[in-house]
Amino acid sequence: ETGVTQSPTHLIKTRGQQVTLRCSSQSGHNTVSWYQQALGQGPQFIFQYYREEENGRGNFPPRFSGLQFPNYSSELNVNALELDDSALYLCASSEGQGSGNTIYFGEGSWLTVV
Amino acid sequence: AQRVTQPEKLLSVFKGAPVELKCNYSYSGSPELFWYVQYSRQRLQLLLRHISRESIKGFTADLNKGETSFHLKKPFAQEEDSAMYYCALSVHNTDKLIFGTGTRLQVFP
């Protein structure tokens, strides 16, 4: 059984550019969530995908968007990057949507916007 | 508003000392709370959840609805407990989580 994997691990982008981050969920998991963790802060919920549909969104602007594919892998896209978007982006997967399901996190993608 | 507060950024203790990491929450409804831990160079992982009422690695946490708290406790800290600890609240009993800002626990030999 493989865990949650994310790519790339680190990247640097320029303000105004666009970025795509990728996540492969743990085997058998149909729910993927994305979190943003700024330095010194806890993870903040961006959105969740369940069976390819967006299923809840946090307080993030529309330039944060995502996709989930039939194999349940997922992408996070951020357009018009701002300096404050610099953070660790975490992907988490679970089997189903109930709070009783254990959520597994990836190691994250470090994004630096300059 | 739904919120999780961890008032201490850093907690330093010596090996064998008791540990209490504080967590307070704000939530309208019946909360479901978790503690997550991140050891150095490892990914964030679940430590325990309040509904399980279990002890993991010697840690326990009791939900106190009157004080809206979910403090994490261990009677005798070990050096391997050094890590970042996050308290989290489940939104409307889903798997969407609201995290606190975290407390770094340092256990000195």
Side-chain angles (χ1 to χ4, degrees):
Chain A
E1 182 177 282
T2 58
V4 178
T5 58
Q6 293 186 242
S7 63
T9 53
H10 295 81
L11 72 166
I12 299 174
K13 289 286 189 177
T14 303
R15 189 170 46 182
Q17 284 188 313
Q18 179 265 346
V19 69
T20 297
L21 307 178
R22 295 179 175 84
C23 171
S24 292
S25 59
Q26 184 150 322
S27 177
H29 287 185
N30 55 22
T31 302
V32 171
S33 302
W34 287 91
Y35 290 82
Q36 181 195 64
Q37 186 173 16
L39 209 57
Q41 302 296 316
Q44 276 198 291
F45 176 74
I46 302 175
F47 43 56
Q48 181 183 84
Y49 281 84
Y50 172 65
R51 295 185 175 180
E52 302 180 60
E53 297 284 330
E54 187 179 291
N55 179 45
R57 187 179 183 92
N59 189 25
F60 281 82
R63 58 190 186 84
F64 285 78
S65 62
L67 283 173
Q68 187 179 32
F69 300 99
N71 66 354
Y72 302 136
S73 66
S74 178
E75 285 182 357
L76 164 66
N77 299 291
V78 187
N79 293 323
L81 283 167
E82 301 176 0
L83 296 180
D84 285 348
D85 296 333
S86 296
L88 177 67
Y89 288 85
L90 295 170
C91 174
S93 75
S94 59
E95 186 180 1
Q97 298 178 277
S99 59
N101 298 307
T102 298
I103 299 168
Y104 294 88
F105 283 85
E107 293 184 322
S109 293
W110 280 102
L111 171 65
T112 301
V113 182
V114 297
Chain B
Q2 299 151 347
R3 186 178 299 139
V4 175
T5 303
Q6 294 181 252
E8 304 143 328
K9 282 194 176 296
L10 175 66
L11 184 62
S12 299
V13 301
F14 286 102
K15 176 182 171 181
V19 166
E20 183 179 55
L21 287 82
K22 291 185 168 46
C23 171
N24 289 90
Y25 67 89
S26 172
Y27 184 74
S28 56
S30 193
E32 186 153 2
L33 288 141
F34 305 82
W35 277 98
Y36 279 79
V37 61
Q38 188 167 29
Y39 300 102
S40 178
R41 301 184 188 278
Q42 293 188 28
R43 61 189 68 196
L44 196 60
Q45 58 186 285
L46 177 67
L47 180 62
L48 55 81
R49 64 184 83 198
H50 91 269
I51 57 170
S52 300
R53 302 184 67 83
E54 57 195 345
S55 172
I56 304 291
K57 299 185 179 182
F59 284 98
T60 58
D62 291 319
L63 178 62
N64 185 323
K65 291 187 179 180
E67 295 182 358
T68 61
S69 69
F70 187 57
H71 302 327
L72 183 67
K73 299 177 184 178
K74 185 169 183 176
F76 308 103
Q78 303 299 314
E79 288 178 69
E80 55 266 30
D81 296 329
S82 295
M84 197 73 188
Y85 290 80
Y86 293 95
C87 183
L89 172 69
S90 166
V91 175
H92 301 306
N93 297 324
T94 68
D95 56 0
K96 305 176 185 70
L97 299 172
I98 297 173
F99 284 89
T101 51
T103 298
R104 178 167 298 282
L105 174 64
Q106 290 182 331
V107 182
F108 295 109

